[in-house]
Amino acid sequence: MSTDVAHEEHHHGPPKGIGRWLFSTNHKDIGTMYLTFALTMLFVGGASAMYIRAELFMPGIQFMEPDFYNNMVTNHALIMVFAVVMPAAAGLANWMIPMMIGAPDMALPRLNNLSFWLLPAAAVMLILSTIVPFMPGTGTAVNTGWTLYPPLSIQAGMGMDFVIFTVHILGVSSILASINIVVTILNMRAPGMTLFKMPMFCWAWLFTGLLLIIIAPVLAGGVTMLLFDRHFGTSFFDAAGGGDPVLFQHLFWFFGHPEVYVLLLPSIGVIAMIIPTFSRKPLFGYKSLVGGMAVLFTLGLVAWAHHQYTVGMAAGPTTWFMIITILISIPVGLMLLNFMMTMWRGAMTFETPMLFAVSIVLMFSFAGVTGIMLAVVPADLEYHDSMFVVAHFHYALIPGALLGLFAAAFYWLPKWTGNMYDERLGKIFFWWNVIAFNLTFFPQHFYGLAGMPRRIVDYNPAFADLNMLSSIAAFAYGISHLLFLYIVIKTVKGGVKAGNKPWEGAQVGTTGLEWDLSSPPPFHSYATPPVVK
Amino acid sequence: MNYIKNKIASATGVVSSLLVNNAYANKYNLPEPADPVVQQIFDLHMMTSLIATIIMVIVTLIVVYSLIVHRKDKGYVPDQNFHKSWFGRWAWLLVPIFVLGVDFAIAKSAHHTLDTIFDEHAEADMTVKITGSQWKWSYEYLDSGVKFTSNLNKDLTPEDEFYLRDVDKPLVLPVNTKVRLLHTTTDVLHDWWVPAIAFKVDAIPGYITETRTEILREGTYRGQCAENCGTGHAFMPIVVKAVSKEKFAEWRDQQVAAAAAAAAEASSDKEWTMEEMMAKGEEAFNKTCAACHQVTGEGVPGVFKALKGSAKATGDVKVHIQTVLNGVAGTAMAAWKDQFNDLEIAAIITYERNAWGNNTGDVVQPKDVAAER
Amino acid sequence: MTTHDQYFVPEGSKWPIIASLGVLTLLAGVALAINHIQGATLMIILGFIIMGTLFFGWFGEVIGESKAGDYNSQVDASFRQGMMWFIGSEVFFFACFFGSYYYLRELTLPYLGGEGHLGKTHMLWENFKSTWPLLNLPDPAAGIKGQYSEAREAMAAWGIPALNTAILLSSGGTLTWAHWGLKKNNRRQLNIGLVLTVLLGVTFFLLQVKEYGHAYHEMNLTLHSGLYGSVFYLLTGFHGFHVVVGAIMLMAILGRTLKGHFSEHDHFGFEAVAWYWHFVDVVWLGLFIFVYWL
Ligand code: HEA
Ligand code: HEA
Ligand code: CUA
Ligand SMILES: [Cu+2]
């Protein structure tokens, strides 16, 4: 088949039937699949969070064996991080990056499909890891938390092996997706679309992708060593044979700390698109934002051991990790300042995406400053492994990652579907969601300080009142997501037609090409690459 | 239900009590320090909290001002060149300098405490080795040789003030004495966390880490295990009783004497009767082994083996003794030889072999255990 | 120069989803097998069959497209960059192992032996002396999973390992020579170079197998012999695995050159495999220096 013929066929629109989805090489279809998968898994991961909160509703063991509780904590975290936030961000990248930079598709479309389809395989493995321990003779459930620290993870039963392979599959999927996105950004830009004309979302994903290429293999290596210790008699993490359990922590956090920026950066990119749009004025400090991300990238890679201040590291490395971690406030502070200064002297309106963006600026700053509190070594020797840490990271993960994805959904749904979402419902969702979120997690700071450790199934009554508040708010928070689901379905089904440029201020300040296309965009966005002046 | 009602009533008081903290005396903050280093940490914590609050106030003020004034429905005309103003041009430099200043202040104030924590030559008047195991703490006073194990007090219910915060035998320490705490564990990671008297450090199997404490006031200090250690992680409380130096010396001498007596008893040639052994064994079993094997001896299917009717507990005595002395490698079943003396092990084994219908009739004697060590 | 018209976007492909199924079957099978669940071997075999078909199918498709001239220079650049980043991620995979090795050997073993910041750890292992290669263990009787048995002697660097270094380095040379041949359109030089490279690769592998046998049986250096065995087999094992994969890819390339594929200017497939092979080479150098020699 010659290229020309193949090319002709592309104009006939999407292939028919289920094959369109199963075998897709189209960036928008794959993006949609990523987003659908992420939304589905949000409810799975959320359901385990609801279990957690129900168990912690009051002191005493409500309805969970301790091991099952910790298995839920493990699953909750793994699902939220790897099956909700990362796939959703990858879905956005798939949908938007080719459209923004004027590419016909992703650079490696078949590989793109592979990165997606590995995710359901990983999800099946993860679910198996929870089911397996119910069968007799398979040992304890995966009760380690998502950090999988040995020797507990060596004691755990067969479910652990499924988790280890889950991590392998997820790692391969992330690496392939990242390679694809990085190559797309570097190699597929339309003529004239220089790097510094790109929409900020592309920059954010460029750094994210590079981070993943560096860190995902290290996690894969780490869990491989765990597998060997479990089954093949090696002693990497066993002092009796000359090893050290702390080594695993170093490997995990060499991955894990940059990983939090992997979760954060795509949402930062989204906010950097939304705030200029609804402030009707160009992004303040485009270049410094790029620079900030570059610095964050660098510092993020050498700050990992701030999760391990309590393992008895020597003074030298401890001080290094503390200082590097505190310095991270500089690039992140700069990013947030840029957002605030973009709003400053703008002409703001407050559609749902903007509401989310503004609340993110505030709530993520809060997560950041509690992060700085944690970074101070002596103080962390008290905070570590308490609910204070849990409060910090939910403030970081939910505003810093999840809400950014919600904002992106509202912002781009009109483009994707051609229909406007219901603004009134959107606003209700926003207020409900953000208020319930704060009521859930703000109190955790206090019962954490008062001495409640994390990952415990049962606790002393001194922490009871605030835990009950947390739990009630968490249920309200959880239910709010059903409204989100409803809004999305309603928008996909129909609604007021959105124009090519549904937002008055869209495209202010960057040359992103997505708004030049129709809404919804044609199956193949650009037959011939557009030229950017 | 009454419980829930009470709690809802008190929950309404939460918001106000957050503002008026003293009413609850640190119910929502780190506990009141009772150690000089913890005091420094507490001050550091209050300072960073204050900085965090100030930064949040600044950020909020800027955003809220902007939200109120710079809005389209107020007819505000956007300043399209703001990012090209002098501030727009220099913000990338000014902001980092400002933040660097704050960062420096924070790091600087942590510096002194860090030096204290990492002081390699710190002196200590006594040393206690703390060993975590699934799921209890063992203490050994290296200077006097006193050692004992501390277990969760299982009699309390969720209504009790010290539910999950009480043990059968607390760690007793003298006040105004520099104590070095050495941490290790026999199985997985644990973390001995009593926030008022010492910062925490992980206990790592095969390694020894170290903290220090110098308790300033007499009293009872409570904490719990802070590193996920599996099934019983929530059930590993720590209680430290700080007493005057004199009382401590008295207590210590008692313990030394009691230990000597117990050792003498264990190594005496006395033939123990079934009744004596069953009574001793039941007590020790329920305290230590029932955490996994349950009081009924039925264990937890698939996780902790049943001893009721188990092949080992009814078969060859020697194998049974070996199992208890050395544990089962690769499982949660630990080696118990260092925790119990021969008499105790003999009693536990006798109990296991005769309770729950394991009616083997064997009475194991301390010397049988000694022979297997 | 890249041209921007007609970027090749393949039609829908069934291979990715098959790959996903294959990976799932294979890994679930392995997870069951290492826990001694019956019937797991069947799953593994099935997994391998799916993966095998997949590789033939997928690469066949790509080769077909390549031969049909579907790929313009921009597509070619995507492939190149993709391969570069992939090798980049492999670098970090090995960096993880080398880093662990350094950490264990230089930082924590001395702790166990009573030196450094956590030296008081020695209290727990009073008879242990930290040495490298580690032939005595802190406590051979007490493994988390079963017991360890100490290795009797250390691996010597200047026997087979040195020979293997020479072999692998020269295979890099022959491969480059083959590439020169390809660029000059000297097919004979290309084919001979490739055959030599494959032969050297296979020799390397066979020697490695021999050495493993020796280590296992004569030296008692096994996966169970504590940290030294662990590190040794982890690093050389994953390297060996990469050699096998690289050699198979080289054979595939050889098959294609014999069929007359590739031209002077357009031979991404060849180059990708060559890069990979050179990468495997460099890793070996690291291994030889740090694991065998120093
Ligand atoms: C999106 C995710 C995300 C993000 C962005 C962050 C961001 C940061 N985190 Fe957080 N963190 C997590 C997710 C995240 N974290 C998770 C999941 C864990 C727990 C994992 C586990 O154990 O399971 C964790 C745990 C964690 C710990 C370990 C706690 C412990 O276990 O004891 C520490 C310690 O240093 C820390 C610090 C920081 C810091 C310094 C930042 C910085 O990046 C924050 C920088 C931002 C700001 C500082 C705010 C903006 C700046 C200004 C307004 C300028 C002025 C500010 C100052 C001068 C202070 N985090
Ligand atoms: C992106 C990541 C992410 C996200 C979004 C969340 C979201 C939530 N998390 Fe979690 N969490 C983590 C990452 C995340 N978390 C991590 C990394 C850990 C550490 C794990 C470890 O220690 O190893 C953790 C741990 C953790 C704990 C600590 C457990 C412990 O240490 O004992 C708790 C407890 O409150 C908690 C609660 C919640 C809640 C209530 C939500 C909510 O936001 C969830 C809300 C969403 C839904 C609920 C959607 C589903 C909606 C329905 C199903 C509708 C029906 C609703 C009802 C039945 C009410 N999480
Ligand atoms: Cu011991 Cu948690
Ligand atoms: Cu971190």
Side-chain angles (χ1 to χ4, degrees):
Chain A
M1 188 193 330
S2 88
T3 355
D4 289 24
V5 179
H7 201 75
E8 275 311 305
E9 277 176 4
H10 283 200
H11 295 292
H12 297 317
K16 301 274 173 307
I18 184 84
R20 165 176 180 184
W21 302 103
L22 298 188
F23 309 142
S24 178
T25 45
N26 179 283
H27 71 99
K28 299 194 197 80
D29 285 355
I30 295 178
T32 306
M33 291 197 292
Y34 263 118
L35 291 168
T36 317
F37 176 78
L39 189 55
T40 316
M41 293 310 279
L42 173 68
F43 286 88
V44 182
S48 39
M50 295 298 110
Y51 259 133
I52 295 175
R53 286 310 334 165
E55 178 59 56
L56 294 182
F57 184 74
M58 59 187 202
I61 296 212
Q62 263 45 270
F63 38 73
M64 264 193 256
E65 289 294 324
D67 285 324
F68 186 68
Y69 174 84
N70 272 335
N71 191 191
M72 282 295 122
V73 173
T74 313
N75 278 3
H76 161 67
L78 289 174
I79 291 177
M80 286 298 195
V81 169
F82 291 102
V84 178
V85 174
M86 289 172 70
L92 297 179
N94 258 296
W95 253 102
M96 300 315 295
I97 290 176
M99 285 176 19
M100 285 173 162
I101 62 176
D105 204 298
M106 296 293 281
L108 306 161
R110 258 184 304 237
L111 206 62
N112 199 14
N113 194 18
L114 176 61
S115 339
F116 170 76
W117 278 112
L118 285 174
L119 289 177
V124 170
M125 287 292 267
L126 191 61
I127 290 167
L128 282 177
S129 82
T130 306
I131 295 175
V132 155
F134 285 104
M135 298 195 276
T138 51
T140 21
V142 183
N143 57 0
T144 57
W146 78 302
T147 49
L148 310 180
Y149 283 0
L152 192 58
S153 53
I154 291 176
Q155 260 186 12
M158 191 168 134
M160 193 68 210
D161 298 315
F162 283 86
V163 171
I164 288 174
F165 287 127
T166 308
V167 171
H168 280 128
I169 303 178
L170 288 167
V172 173
S173 161
S174 312
I175 291 172
L176 296 182
S178 302
I179 290 177
N180 211 340
I181 290 169
V182 169
V183 174
T184 306
I185 293 173
L186 294 181
N187 190 40
M188 303 289 286
R189 279 167 286 121
M193 173 63 80
T194 58
L195 283 175
F196 280 92
K197 278 187 187 163
M198 287 195 309
M200 194 52 68
F201 181 71
C202 303
W203 271 111
W205 248 110
L206 182 60
F207 286 113
T208 309
L210 293 176
L211 270 179
L212 273 171
I213 292 173
I214 294 175
I215 64 176
V218 175
L219 179 65
V223 295
T224 304
M225 288 155 76
L226 198 58
L227 186 75
F228 274 57
D229 264 19
R230 281 171 59 79
H231 291 288
F232 306 121
T234 55
S235 62
F236 297 109
F237 309 128
D238 181 2
D244 184 355
V246 175
L247 169 62
F248 182 84
Q249 304 188 11
H250 282 289
L251 298 177
F252 184 89
W253 290 114
F254 180 84
F255 155 83
H257 182 69
E259 169 71 12
V260 307
Y261 300 122
V262 165
L263 303 172
L264 173 72
L265 282 174
S267 288
I268 290 283
V270 167
I271 303 169
M273 312 297 300
I274 291 176
I275 293 187
T277 301
F278 297 99
S279 305
R280 294 170 177 72
K281 138 180 184 310
L283 183 65
F284 183 93
Y286 178 100
K287 282 198 174 142
S288 76
L289 199 52
V290 175
M293 288 198 254
V295 175
L296 182 66
F297 173 92
T298 318
L299 292 180
L301 280 171
V302 290
W304 73 89
H306 60 228
H307 296 270
Q308 303 156 245
Y309 288 146
T310 59
V311 299
M313 271 184 295
T318 308
T319 313
W320 159 274
F321 286 115
M322 169 169 121
I323 289 177
I324 296 291
T325 307
I326 295 181
L327 287 181
I328 293 178
S329 59
I330 294 176
V332 183
L334 190 59
M335 287 175 191
L336 290 172
L337 178 101
N338 285 341
F339 294 154
M340 294 191 276
M341 288 302 120
T342 307
M343 299 193 283
W344 193 259
R345 300 216 197 161
M348 283 188 272
T349 51
F350 299 96
E351 288 84 348
T352 312
M354 182 62 167
L355 285 176
F356 270 109
V358 174
S359 74
I360 289 168
V361 169
L362 291 175
M363 297 189 298
F364 181 69
S365 296
F366 183 58
V369 292
T370 56
I372 297 300
M373 290 172 70
L374 288 166
V376 179
V377 177
D380 184 66
L381 298 182
E382 290 284 19
Y383 307 142
H384 177 70
D385 263 336
S386 73
M387 288 306 267
F388 186 84
V389 177
V390 175
H392 155 70
F393 68 69
H394 282 92
Y395 265 87
L397 288 165
I398 294 183
L402 193 64
L403 298 193
L405 301 169
F406 286 152
F410 285 107
Y411 185 56
W412 282 319
L413 260 178
K415 169 94 315 183
W416 297 337
T417 62
N419 305 323
M420 223 36 209
Y421 62 86
D422 186 330
E423 188 63 58
R424 199 177 54 92
L425 286 182
K427 288 210 167 87
I428 295 177
F429 172 63
F430 166 77
W431 287 110
W432 180 359
N433 189 279
V434 165
I435 291 173
F437 161 73
N438 280 287
L439 286 177
T440 309
F441 293 105
F442 194 69
Q444 286 185 354
H445 291 98
F446 298 98
Y447 53 84
L449 288 177
M452 176 168 166
R454 55 195 284 209
R455 297 169 175 168
I456 57 174
V457 61
D458 192 3
Y459 53 88
N460 179 272
F463 315 121
D465 39 14
L466 288 185
N467 261 299
M468 193 176 283
L469 175 63
S470 261
S471 289
I472 294 171
F475 301 142
Y477 180 60
I479 293 170
S480 76
H481 295 86
L482 294 176
L483 180 57
F484 178 72
L485 187 66
Y486 174 74
I487 299 173
V488 171
I489 293 175
K490 198 172 150 198
T491 314
V492 172
K493 285 214 170 132
V496 185
K497 289 285 158 251
N500 290 0
K501 229 170 102 175
W503 311 115
E504 187 188 20
Q507 222 169 8
V508 176
T510 67
T511 31
L513 301 167
E514 70 277 29
W515 305 110
D516 295 341
L517 294 169
S518 61
S519 301
F523 190 63
H524 291 282
S525 315
Y526 301 100
T528 46
V531 177
V532 181
K533 302 136 293 251
Chain B
M1 273 302 108
N2 234 353
Y3 174 75
I4 298 188
K5 262 189 221 147
N6 283 342
K7 286 299 151 187
I8 290 176
S10 72
T12 50
V14 163
V15 179
S16 53
S17 60
L18 279 179
L19 303 173
V20 199
N21 203 347
N22 354 2
Y24 277 76
N26 289 359
K27 196 175 162 193
Y28 302 117
N29 198 353
L30 292 176
E32 212 185 330
D35 164 274
V37 181
V38 175
Q39 180 67 52
Q40 288 181 27
I41 292 178
F42 187 84
D43 298 341
L44 198 58
H45 155 71
M46 293 312 277
M47 188 212 65
T48 52
S49 306
L50 182 68
I51 294 183
T53 315
I54 294 173
I55 291 172
M56 280 318 292
V57 170
I58 298 175
V59 169
T60 314
L61 284 180
I62 298 176
V63 171
V64 169
Y65 179 85
S66 185
L67 290 186
I68 294 175
V69 177
H70 306 134
R71 40 199 308 154
K72 194 183 171 198
D73 53 15
K74 287 244 172 105
Y76 195 88
V77 182
D79 179 355
Q80 293 296 353
N81 290 316
F82 183 59
H83 62 293
K84 292 188 192 133
S85 65
W86 71 268
F87 185 64
R89 229 166 304 133
W90 292 102
W92 68 272
L93 189 60
L94 296 176
V95 177
I97 290 178
F98 167 77
V99 179
L100 184 66
V102 183
D103 286 355
F104 182 73
I106 295 175
K108 185 91 204 325
S109 55
H111 180 245
H112 177 64
T113 317
L114 259 186
D115 277 354
T116 324
I117 290 173
F118 280 104
D119 184 0
E120 304 261 333
H121 308 289
E123 285 174 12
D125 305 322
M126 61 183 277
T127 306
V128 179
K129 185 173 159 219
I130 303 176
T131 308
S133 341
Q134 285 170 326
W135 290 277
K136 61 186 167 294
W137 297 101
S138 310
Y139 300 105
E140 183 177 355
Y141 295 71
L142 294 186
D143 314 80
S144 57
V146 171
K147 54 179 180 180
F148 60 88
T149 302
S150 170
N151 290 292
L152 168 74
N153 173 355
K154 293 205 189 70
D155 300 334
L156 303 182
T157 63
E159 280 75 27
D160 290 303
E161 186 182 1
F162 295 123
Y163 177 61
L164 300 186
R165 284 286 167 116
D166 202 28
V167 298
D168 54 356
K169 260 186 150 181
L171 175 68
V172 180
L173 290 178
V175 292
N176 296 322
T177 309
K178 293 194 169 73
V179 185
R180 184 196 307 276
L181 305 171
L182 300 182
H183 302 271
T184 188
T185 132
T186 53
D187 35 46
V188 300
L189 302 172
H190 299 273
D191 194 317
W192 193 85
W193 187 33
V194 185
I197 60 163
F199 57 84
K200 68 165 92 62
V201 68
D202 291 352
I204 302 162
Y207 290 81
I208 290 185
T209 49
E210 183 180 330
T211 55
R212 267 163 280 137
T213 181
E214 185 185 349
I215 305 176
L216 299 174
R217 290 185 303 278
E218 291 185 30
T220 307
Y221 301 95
R222 288 167 203 273
Q224 69 187 92
C225 177
E227 185 66 56
N228 184 6
C229 50
T231 317
H233 171 49
F235 310 99
M236 257 182 100
I238 302 155
V239 179
V240 178
K241 236 170 97 183
V243 297
S244 68
K245 287 186 184 180
E246 297 74 39
K247 273 208 191 121
F248 174 76
E250 203 177 295
W251 175 87
R252 184 194 55 207
D253 295 343
Q254 266 172 23
Q255 298 295 311
V256 174
E265 195 181 27
S267 57
S268 74
D269 301 331
K270 175 175 174 189
E271 275 287 324
W272 294 82
T273 65
M274 177 70 105
E275 284 70 42
E276 283 171 321
M277 289 308 248
M278 285 300 277
K280 267 190 197 307
E282 175 166 17
E283 188 193 340
F285 182 90
N286 288 349
K287 200 142 118 196
T288 309
C289 320
C292 301
H293 296 292
Q294 310 303 319
V295 179
T296 56
E298 283 165 356
V300 176
V303 185
F304 302 120
K305 270 197 186 160
L307 300 178
K308 181 176 175 177
S310 111
K312 268 190 193 162
T314 52
D316 185 359
V317 182
K318 288 208 168 101
V319 177
H320 189 174
I321 297 178
Q322 281 296 342
T323 308
V324 178
L325 283 177
N326 297 320
V328 182
T331 70
M333 177 64 191
W336 298 98
K337 58 172 175 245
D338 296 331
Q339 313 245 358
F340 294 114
N341 62 32
D342 293 345
L343 173 59
E344 285 159 328
I345 298 235
I348 291 173
I349 291 181
T350 309
Y351 178 69
E352 283 177 352
R353 298 182 76 79
N354 296 293
W356 327 295
N358 286 358
N359 298 323
T360 57
D362 303 333
V363 183
V364 181
Q365 296 297 332
K367 60 177 187 303
D368 305 332
V369 178
E372 294 299 320
R373 278 206 190 242
Chain C
M1 251 315 287
T2 55
T3 51
H4 279 280
D5 52 349
Q6 297 167 354
Y7 192 88
F8 177 75
V9 178
E11 291 297 299
S13 164
K14 60 181 178 300
W15 297 116
I17 193 166
I18 294 179
S20 163
L21 280 175
V23 168
L24 183 61
T25 322
L26 184 62
L27 290 187
V30 174
L32 293 172
I34 53 183
N35 287 287
H36 315 290
I37 304 283
Q38 290 201 332
T41 356
L42 276 178
M43 270 179 88
I44 297 183
I45 294 171
L46 184 64
F48 271 119
I49 293 176
I50 302 181
M51 297 304 275
T53 334
L54 164 82
F55 279 115
F56 277 98
W58 191 329
F59 286 124
E61 212 169 291
V62 173
I63 292 168
E65 284 160 8
S66 165
K67 274 183 50 196
D70 286 352
Y71 300 158
N72 64 11
S73 55
Q74 196 187 6
V75 178
D76 196 55
S78 289
F79 285 160
R80 275 160 202 281
Q81 294 186 6
M83 189 66 195
M84 295 279 220
W85 291 117
F86 173 71
I87 290 179
S89 77
E90 287 266 36
V91 168
F92 281 93
F93 185 68
F94 277 99
C96 165
F97 294 154
F98 276 104
S100 305
Y101 168 47
Y102 170 82
Y103 177 88
L104 291 167
R105 177 175 162 180
E106 297 296 328
L107 293 172
T108 67
L109 265 186
Y111 291 167
L112 291 170
E115 289 156 47
H117 171 62
L118 293 184
K120 44 195 168 314
T121 290
H122 201 49
M123 271 171 70
L124 300 173
W125 317 105
E126 271 162 356
N127 302 319
F128 175 67
K129 266 211 201 55
S130 156
T131 55
W132 194 267
L134 184 69
L135 299 181
N136 67 320
L137 298 181
D139 186 357
I144 342 181
K145 287 264 164 181
Q147 281 152 11
Y148 304 124
S149 67
E150 289 163 336
R152 274 192 290 279
E153 53 182 306
M155 211 58 187
W158 297 107
I160 293 180
L163 180 62
N164 258 343
T165 310
I167 291 177
L168 218 49
L169 285 183
S170 27
S171 80
T174 53
L175 188 57
T176 308
W177 186 66
H179 193 190
W180 289 343
L182 177 53
K183 281 205 278 203
K184 287 183 298 192
N185 202 12
N186 180 343
R187 304 297 295 196
R188 221 174 92 83
Q189 182 177 339
L190 168 65
N191 289 336
I192 295 179
L194 266 176
V195 170
L196 282 177
T197 314
V198 171
L199 284 180
L200 287 169
V202 171
T203 319
F204 172 92
F205 179 72
L206 292 177
L207 283 174
Q208 198 72 357
V209 169
K210 179 161 179 278
E211 198 199 30
Y212 270 23
H214 175 70
Y216 239 89
H217 300 300
E218 271 97 76
M219 296 163 58
N220 195 30
L221 180 62
T222 70
L223 281 173
H224 298 262
S225 53
L227 198 55
Y228 183 46
S230 307
V231 164
F232 176 79
Y233 287 107
L234 181 80
L235 278 158
T236 56
F238 271 100
H239 176 264
F241 173 71
H242 280 72
V243 170
V244 172
V245 173
I248 293 176
M249 297 199 305
L250 278 172
M251 290 183 213
I253 294 294
L254 177 62
R256 288 184 66 189
T257 60
L258 290 176
K259 279 205 218 147
H261 292 192
F262 302 123
S263 69
E264 300 105 282
H265 308 292
D266 187 9
H267 48 258
F268 164 72
F270 179 93
E271 277 179 310
V273 174
W275 291 341
Y276 190 82
W277 192 253
H278 289 313
F279 161 73
V280 172
D281 241 16
V282 173
V283 172
W284 175 260
L285 266 187
L287 278 180
F288 180 69
I289 295 173
F290 294 110
V291 178
Y292 288 95
W293 186 8
L294 294 179

